[in-house]
Amino acid sequence: MENEKADERELILINVTGADRCGVTTALTEILARYDADILDMGQADIHHTLSLGILFKTNSRNSGEILKELLFKTNDLKVQVSFNIISEEEYDRWVGMQGKNRYIITILGRKITARQISETTRVITDQGLNIDSISRLTGRIPLDEKEQPATKACIEFSVRGTPTDLLSMQKELMELSSKLNYDISLQEDNLYRRCRRLICFDMDSTLIRTEVIDELADRAGVGEEVRAITESAMRGEIDFEESFKRRVALLKGLDVSVMKEIAENLPITEGVDRMMEVLKRSGYKTAILSGGFTYFGNYLKQKYNFDYVYANDLEVGPDGKLTGRHLGDIVDGRRKKELLRLLAQVENIDIAQTIAVGDGANDLPMLSEAGLGIAFHAKPKVKAEAGQSISTIGIDGVLYFLGFKDSYINHQI
């Protein structure tokens, strides 16, 4: 009986903390290797040069005493602290059973992250019956003097496990919190598609550029106030986009087409476009502009940033080189954007769940809801309220963090 007991397996969890230094993990796993221990789980984090290392291993009970003794001596030599916990097989079986639970990624970002923002976010997570598995910082460390770098970004990603009590209610509460506490948030199911998005479609006006091109054209035509009023009403969803488009284009009648070149060359590009497009293209994403604006300006951005596709509206030009106040072909409205998103997914031979859509207006909602990941960018209140994810506090390169990119990878890539 004593021999049988001596041959029983033991599950032991060790937790190591202290000043980080090279070789800690190697030294401890070398001890486990000498006793042919099996690693069941392992995790390590380094926060400001402070190490937190956990190893759950399985060994024969006759070896456990010697292993723990050697680990204790070694950690003392390395000047780190260690604690030991015996894990019962029942506890381990429960842990294994949790692997079948749903997993979600919650990403929060802004110019800075406050304790209140994290506290309120984690409260929602807890209230929904979810457990936080890990927390990662995706951005680099920010300086203490914010005046040195006014465009800083801070992003933290939570990996959580479980089945929410009410997923829609959770999504809504997180979005309300983001507006109240001035930060951005994304809630995504951590599935296969989340890790292999391939196509990203952008609205153009007030998304890739910080203006509505039709307003710029209207200013040159002397009808800026009238067109702007129609634009705002349409973006708020108060009037039909097609109707508003035709009314605005009609007001441009007689404008010389030469002004389009001058406007294109002076478009105010949204913060982060250069960085975002560099990373997306290097990472193999297909990119598209799906715009209710005009093809001329979409093609300008296509050449500048190497977009793969552009779908927008064409203005009719008369033989005198002036706009006629009419358009050519079908209007790219919200319904058409959704159709184009699906069409491009088919062309690229990918599942719709692998697509991303980014936009700000009411006419972007159909494609935002259709895409695997829909992101409202500096959006109108109605759009933000209906979107699953939102970015309102930083530049459009915040999209990269919702895709799981880390600054360490982005900066190396660029």
Side-chain angles (χ1 to χ4, degrees), residues 216-241:
E216 300 290 332
L217 292 169
D219 286 339
R220 272 50 167 205
V223 291
E225 289 188 13
E226 298 99 305
V227 167
R228 229 171 235 103
I230 300 172
T231 298
E232 285 299 315
S233 182
M235 296 304 283
R236 290 192 299 267
E238 295 171 352
I239 58 176
D240 176 73
F241 179 83

Side-chain angles (χ1 to χ4, degrees), residues 136-150:
S136 302
R137 176 172 49 84
L138 301 187
T139 47
R141 298 184 178 97
I142 61 175
L144 290 176
D145 187 354
E146 297 175 18
K147 294 179 181 179
E148 293 181 4
Q149 296 185 32

Side-chain angles (χ1 to χ4, degrees), residues 10-50:
E10 283 192 338
L11 310 182
I12 302 173
L13 174 65
I14 64 171
N15 290 286
V16 180
T17 58
D20 194 17
R21 56 189 297 179
C22 292
V24 173
T25 303
T26 300
L28 301 185
T29 53
E30 280 180 348
I31 293 172
L32 297 177
R34 286 202 298 272
Y35 291 92
D36 293 324
D38 294 330
I39 304 295
L40 301 177
D41 195 12
M42 188 173 184
Q44 179 173 314
D46 179 2
I47 303 176
H48 290 275
H49 305 296
T50 299

Side-chain angles (χ1 to χ4, degrees), residues 289-300:
I289 294 174
L290 306 183
S291 174
F294 303 114
T295 304
Y296 182 93
F297 303 98
N299 283 335
Y300 178 84

Side-chain angles (χ1 to χ4, degrees), residues 101-104 106 124-131 160-171 187:
K101 296 278 186 178
N102 295 327
R103 302 183 69 88
Y104 295 89
I106 297 174
V124 174
I125 293 171
T126 301
D127 289 349
Q128 288 287 334
L130 302 176
N131 184 66
V160 303
R161 183 182 66 239
T163 302
T165 304
D166 187 334
L167 182 58
L168 291 179
S169 173
M170 180 181 181
Q171 187 99 52
L187 169 63

Side-chain angles (χ1 to χ4, degrees), residues 197-209:
R197 313 278 192 203
R198 303 315 311 148
L199 169 68
I200 180 165
C201 300
F202 296 93
D203 174 45
M204 180 172 65
D205 296 46
S206 296
T207 299
L208 293 171
I209 56 177

Side-chain angles (χ1 to χ4, degrees), residues 268-279:
I269 303 299
T270 297
E271 176 195 341
V273 168
D274 296 72
R275 181 174 185 250
M276 176 189 69
M277 289 302 297
E278 178 77 14
V279 174

